Every structure is written in structure tokens, then in C-alpha cells.
Amino acid sequence: MTARARRRARVEVAVRERAVLGEGPTWDPATGRLIWVDILGSRVHTHTPADGTRTVMATGQHVGAAAPRAGGGLVVNLRDGVGLYGPDGAFSWLVHDPVPGRRGNDAAVAPDGALWAGSMRDDEAPGGGRLIRVAPDGTATEQLTVGVGNGTGWSPDGGTMFHIDSLTHRIDAFRVEDGPGGGGSGPGGAAPDGPRLTGRRTFAVVEDGAGVFDGLTVDADGCVWAALWDGGQIRRYTPSGTLDRVLELPVRRPTSCAFGGPGLRDLYITSARVGLARPHPLSGSLLVLPDAGQGLPATPFAG
């Protein structure tokens, strides 16, 4: 990586906010807005860049992620499971699975319209969380045992899934394969009614002292952009896993990133202020790096 590829990002403030644990930026093309959450604040935020309007909705319990639904409304990864908000705001549980001391964390919608939802224990115990695939009909199948289930994304052709368990300090890559009848079973995560994850390999590792991988997004070239918690950076890795760009941020704890805006060219970055004795004034805000690259169109949850 050349010195030119490492630079202070000229970020702008999309939403000045004091979110405790901002996370999960997701672009909703149907409404032209950016959806993100404050996990510990139990809030879902939206921001419409075209006119600057925003909304804030309380969820009543910790919310790890929110994404648009194909028919309107939101799917949310909550403390006690996965829930649905209708276009009218009415709430219902899709998967209700409360476990004391465990909460939902990051989540992402796969190209086939299913939700992949991570979880973690409040004490961040290794193996205390899981990554589940939630089909549109609510069928939930466990794919992986994790410590802190975080960033998940897919290559442009959908054949590779990238995933972060933050306790491992690495990004893993899996082949996504269909079994008989569109599903299958086998080691590494699988279910009769869903895809199989095979060929697990280490895609990228963060060096000691540089921070912890948190959320990620994949661009149209197949590059993986990952946020470094306690590292104050967004890093981009080529499809071969080579680090080729480092964006230095003013905030110490960026949590995730996603492309949005006109043409999916702008990189939105969430951040946190939790646990910081002297947080930067922008910690907890939604930041944006204009014209950072080319994103992939988001798939809404099909349920």
C-alpha cells in the first residue's frame, strides 16, 4: 500500500448526533434515505440527504440493525429476536428468541432477500453469540457460532460471503453454495432450506494494536470496506484481500459503513461514543465521505 493510499478522509457531517453506539448504516433506494441505529440508545434513525430531513424511532429495547422491507416498513434485529415494522408502524415478532444476557447485533440482507442476523452476549464471551439466517417466512437457521456477530456482506456475484466476528480480529470469507433443492447441510453452517457456507478462509487480519474490525460493506468492484473500532479508520481490501486504502477519521470508534446517495457514490459512516472518557465532538454522529467509490444496490428484506 502506497503512502498516497493512506490519507485523512475529508468527511462531512451528515447528521450531528450523540449516539451512544451508532451502527448499521443501510441505504433504502425506495425512499432515498439512509437508515442507521443507536444500539444502546434503542433508536432507529433515518436521514434523507436530498432535503436533510430525519426521523428517530424508539424501539423499546436494544436494536442492532434495521433494514428496509420489500413491501415497506423495516426489519429489525432486536435484543430478543428479529421483528417487523409495517408501513403503518405496527410491530410484530418474526423470530422471538429471548436469551438472558444476549442481544442482537449487526445484520444484513442477502441477495436472495433473507436476513443474516448476528448476536452477542453482553459480556462478549467467546462463542456466546450466533449468526442466523432468517427466511422471509420467519424460518431461522443457525449458520455460525460467534463471539460478537458483526459485519456481513456479499461479493457482487453473491458467491462469496464476508463476515466479521470482532473477537477474532479478522474478516472471514465463505463460499455460498446451494444444496439439493436450494439448500443443504454440512459443517460450517447450513440448513435444509437455505444456502451452505463452505470453504471458510481468512480474508484479512488486523495487526495488534490497530483496532478491531467492526462493520463492513462491499463495493461494486468486490472490494471490502471495514471499520476499525478503536482504530479510527475505514480500510478497503481488494477482492484478493490486499489492503489498498486507509481512510483516517476524526472519530476513534467508527462502527460501520455503507454506500448511499445519488448513484451509490457516497460512503456513510456510523460512530460510537460509548466507553470514551473524552469522545471527539463528532463521536456518535453519522459521517459521510462524498464520492468515495461505487456501491452495490441494497436488497430489501423479502418478508
Side-chain angles (χ1 to χ4, degrees):
M1 183 181 67
T2 66
R4 189 176 182 180
R6 185 185 185 100
R7 61 185 175 88
R8 174 71 63 175
R10 295 181 179 178
V11 296
E12 300 176 2
V13 180
V15 176
R16 188 175 293 271
E17 182 58 79
R18 294 173 60 87
V20 182
L21 181 52
E23 254 287 8
T26 303
W27 182 253
D28 182 359
T31 60
R33 63 182 184 172
L34 195 285
I35 303 166
W36 57 291
V37 303
D38 179 355
I39 297 178
L40 300 183
S42 303
R43 300 286 190 274
V44 176
H45 297 253
T46 72
H47 164 64
T48 304
D51 59 13
T53 60
R54 57 176 301 201
T55 67
V56 182
M57 179 183 72
T59 57
Q61 58 176 257
H62 293 165
V63 53
R69 299 170 62 191
L74 298 172
V75 59
V76 287
N77 193 24
L78 296 167
R79 182 193 64 202
D80 294 341
V82 174
L84 300 175
Y85 284 98
D88 61 354
F91 176 81
S92 61
W93 285 106
L94 185 63
V95 178
H96 192 219
D97 183 26
V99 176
R102 190 184 77 185
R103 66 167 174 83
N105 204 45
D106 207 353
V109 179
D112 66 357
L115 181 75
W116 291 63
S119 61
M120 59 178 285
R121 286 196 56 81
D122 294 332
D123 60 8
E124 300 186 5
R130 58 181 183 158
L131 180 67
I132 63 172
R133 176 184 183 270
V134 182
D137 66 358
T139 301
T141 53
E142 183 171 341
Q143 303 290 321
L144 298 171
T145 298
V146 298
V148 177
N150 246 317
T152 304
W154 290 264
S155 59
D157 66 1
T160 300
M161 189 189 85
F162 302 96
H163 179 68
I164 292 171
D165 177 348
S166 291
L167 297 188
T168 68
H169 290 218
R170 68 175 188 260
I171 303 172
D172 286 341
F174 302 82
R175 290 193 302 272
V176 181
E177 299 179 355
D178 284 339
S185 61
D193 53 356
R196 300 177 63 227
L197 299 181
T198 66
R200 185 175 192 163
R201 60 185 172 87
T202 297
F203 175 76
V205 178
V206 63
E207 63 273 21
D208 289 346
V212 177
F213 282 133
D214 198 332
L216 64 78
T217 193
V218 183
D219 69 20
D221 294 323
C223 296
V224 177
W225 302 65
L228 273 183
W229 172 277
D230 274 341
Q233 297 176 350
I234 299 292
R235 293 187 175 188
R236 188 182 78 167
Y237 295 86
T238 67
S240 66
T242 300
L243 176 62
D244 79 332
R245 189 179 301 180
V246 174
L247 304 177
E248 302 281 357
L249 302 172
V251 295
R252 177 179 165 185
R253 291 183 167 173
T255 55
S256 192
C257 54
F259 284 95
L264 300 177
R265 299 286 305 173
D266 303 331
L267 188 70
Y268 287 89
I269 302 163
T270 47
S271 64
R273 60 194 296 113
V274 62
L276 296 176
R278 295 181 178 179
H280 187 278
L282 294 180
S283 293
S285 293
L286 176 69
L287 307 176
V288 61
L289 180 61
D291 202 27
Q294 179 61 60
L296 287 168
T299 302
F301 180 61

